[in-house]
Amino acid sequence: MGRASRRYALLALVAALVLVATAGCGARLDKAQTRAAIGGGGGGGGGAAQSTAGATDSGAGGPTATVATGAQGSTSGATGGSGGSGGSSGSGGGTGGPSAAQSGGSGCSAVAGTKAPGLSDTEIKFGNISTITGPVPDFGQTGRAGAKAYFDYINATQGGVCGRKLSLVTADDRLDTATNRAAAQQLMGQVFGFAGNTTVVDNGSASVLGGTDIPVCALTIGDASATMSNGFSPNPVNVASHSNGTVAMWRYLKSTYHITKVAVMTPAQNDARERSIGYINDAQAAGLQTMTLEAPITETNYTGYVSKMQSGGADALITTLEVNGMAKLARAVQANPTFVKQLKVPFYGAQAYGQQFLKLAGDAANGTIIGINYDIIEGGTAATQTFAQWYARSAPGRDADFFALMGWTAAELCVQGLKAAGGAPTRAKVTNALKGIHHYTAGGILTDRDPANKTTSQAFAVVGVKNGKWVHLYPASGFANG
């Protein structure tokens, strides 16, 4: 399997652990990769699985850090973070939140003398722990690049926040829970907070950071990370609700496409099974019948599963497979003409969005219909277009994806908290400010959500593939209220 394929193989576990925005992820991990992803690899952060956070250690194999600063995206150190410039719509990202033009609020004159790790009179350092090497190399690169791009935008257009430039001190957890935890332990004394972490093993850092006053703005995957009182996600996971916030979406699909039964397909992994319950509950709440199918995480042939969907009377399907698995499933559907006629909503998962699925599935992608709670670049809002333009500068040649959007909006969320804290910020002030954010859209990139209470609205959009291109199906732009 190639480097790109290994990266996308991790998406199964991601999809299993987040809400509708990461629905279409999956399952092409070998046994060692699976153990590493869900069990921390059993390591203690040493040897090949060492953390790359912190100052260079003089000992053999010691950890190193990458510090990324400035509008040109310069980097130093060994881990090679993503550089570049970034931008946004210029809004504070939340309904009623402070705008970018406010540049930090009324207390910006009080910039001197504040003491906190990672904070000086001229700079604010944030940590970023993402999966860059290991069994699935580059998995976290787009999320890190999104966060870096937004920080660079603030530095370049606003001079930072209250005159302080923003920078990332990056660490590579190598898809190992213990390494993720060790990186947090090392960085927490060096950085003001954390922004844009992109990793499946975030429960490691949650065991260290949870319950502190250190602000953490990042995509959350694990239950421990999702429930941190000082953790704020642009894609909140409400662990207790047993819902993916998709009831309104399923009602729309039922009334528009007249579906009656949804096949929910998941990889054979415990967290995936748990999260698939949300789709089952939501579809049933919308008055739909459901059937479930489970595939080994190493599955490559979906012909038999398509036959089961057909004989089971499913006229809609949703998966938590990764992009390669979704593409193979789409081709298996295409090869079954009877099921093609029966299937009204081939919802391969919201993570299907992007050029990768179109390239892998080919003409089998045509007719795909997915529900999402984030905007797409094709015909998207001004904020989404600005993200796309500046992200292209940050990661030239790399397709923008869901994780890049989450890195960007997570960094924007942290900046909103910083601005509310004023010119003399402390960790506690910023964390408390973030606890007051109950409406967040990142300028229209996201549906309205409540990072403080870790919930999201029922608002949604439906997009699909026509003639090999992604198009808005409903509404024509923006989101429908749930």
Side-chain angles (χ1 to χ4, degrees):
M1 182 161 39
R3 183 177 178 133
S5 296
R6 290 196 303 273
R7 178 184 185 275
Y8 282 104
L10 185 60
L11 297 180
L13 299 177
V14 176
L17 297 170
V18 296
L19 300 182
V20 67
T22 49
C25 313
R28 208 70 70 244
L29 298 171
D30 61 27
K31 291 181 180 179
Q33 292 168 344
T34 304
R35 285 194 299 270
I38 66 177
Q50 278 186 307
S51 167
T52 58
T56 301
D57 193 319
S58 60
T64 59
T66 299
V67 181
T69 60
Q72 298 303 314
S74 61
T75 60
S76 63
T79 62
S82 306
S85 304
S88 79
S89 65
S91 87
T95 305
S99 69
Q102 287 177 290
S103 186
S106 60
C108 276
S109 59
V111 296
T114 307
K115 302 295 183 182
L119 179 70
S120 72
D121 290 349
T122 59
E123 184 181 26
I124 305 176
K125 296 178 181 179
F126 280 84
N128 179 285
I129 307 172
S130 299
T131 298
I132 307 301
T133 65
V136 190
D138 285 343
F139 171 74
Q141 284 284 20
T142 58
R144 176 178 289 179
K148 178 67 169 58
Y150 187 76
F151 278 3
D152 284 340
Y153 166 76
I154 293 297
N155 290 340
T157 63
Q158 300 174 33
V161 177
C162 288
R164 295 182 174 102
K165 294 295 181 74
L166 305 174
S167 64
L168 284 181
V169 181
T170 65
D172 174 11
D173 66 18
R174 305 180 189 179
L175 193 61
D176 179 77
T177 302
T179 304
N180 184 271
R181 180 171 58 250
Q185 288 172 328
Q186 294 181 46
L187 284 181
M188 64 189 297
Q190 305 173 33
V191 300
F192 186 84
F194 290 82
N197 301 337
T198 307
T199 177
V200 172
V201 294
D202 57 348
N203 277 345
S205 55
S207 68
V208 174
L209 301 175
T212 70
D213 62 359
I214 301 173
V216 180
C217 305
L219 177 68
T220 54
I221 305 297
D223 284 3
S225 178
T227 55
M228 284 171 43
S229 61
N230 57 313
F232 307 91
S233 176
N235 190 49
V237 175
N238 191 322
V239 174
S241 70
H242 302 294
S243 167
N244 287 350
T246 58
V247 176
M249 179 200 71
W250 286 116
R251 285 176 179 156
Y252 170 82
L253 295 175
K254 178 185 177 184
S255 65
T256 302
Y257 297 96
H258 309 293
I259 59 175
T260 60
K261 190 171 187 177
V262 182
V264 181
M265 188 166 185
T266 185
Q269 194 270 336
N270 287 336
D271 291 323
R273 295 185 188 103
E274 288 297 318
R275 291 297 178 254
S276 68
I277 293 173
Y279 289 112
I280 295 168
N281 289 345
D282 288 355
Q284 291 178 352
L288 295 165
Q289 300 177 55
T290 60
M291 62 180 292
T292 58
L293 301 95
E294 186 174 290
I297 61 174
T298 54
E299 186 60 80
T300 59
N301 185 350
Y302 293 93
T303 301
Y305 301 98
V306 171
S307 296
K308 289 180 181 179
M309 293 179 194
Q310 177 194 332
S311 62
D315 51 13
L317 71 86
I318 187 169
T319 81
T320 53
L321 298 172
E322 48 85 26
V323 69
N324 287 286
M326 287 185 290
K328 288 181 171 64
L329 178 58
R331 291 189 177 277
V333 170
Q334 184 186 47
N336 186 326
T338 301
F339 189 52
V340 169
K341 294 179 181 178
Q342 178 177 311
L343 184 62
K344 299 173 181 175
V345 177
F347 187 166
Y348 294 106
Q351 200 63 23
Y353 170 68
Q355 296 303 305
Q356 187 75 359
F357 177 71
L358 301 183
K359 293 173 184 176
L360 293 171
D363 59 1
N366 288 322
T368 297
I369 298 169
I370 66 175
I372 57 176
N373 64 2
Y374 58 93
D375 197 24
I376 66 172
I377 294 171
E378 294 84 351
T381 64
T384 307
Q385 294 303 314
T386 304
F387 155 76
Q389 293 163 9
W390 287 96
Y391 179 80
R393 301 185 185 188
S394 177
R398 187 188 295 271
D399 289 338
D401 62 10
F402 168 76
F403 299 101
L405 279 165
M406 291 301 102
W408 175 281
T409 54
E412 185 175 357
L413 185 60
C414 257
V415 167
Q416 186 169 326
L418 272 174
K419 290 177 177 180
T426 65
R427 286 169 161 178
K429 283 183 180 180
V430 173
T431 296
N432 287 335
L434 290 166
K435 288 180 179 179
I437 298 176
H438 297 290
H439 295 280
Y440 184 67
T441 69
I445 294 175
L446 309 170
T447 60
D448 189 24
R449 67 242 2 245
D450 183 343
N453 288 330
K454 307 183 189 312
T455 59
T456 189
S457 73
Q458 288 279 328
F460 67 95
V462 178
V463 301
V465 180
K466 292 185 177 181
N467 299 319
K469 296 180 180 179
W470 289 102
V471 296
H472 287 268
L473 299 178
Y474 178 79
S477 63
F479 304 103
N481 293 326

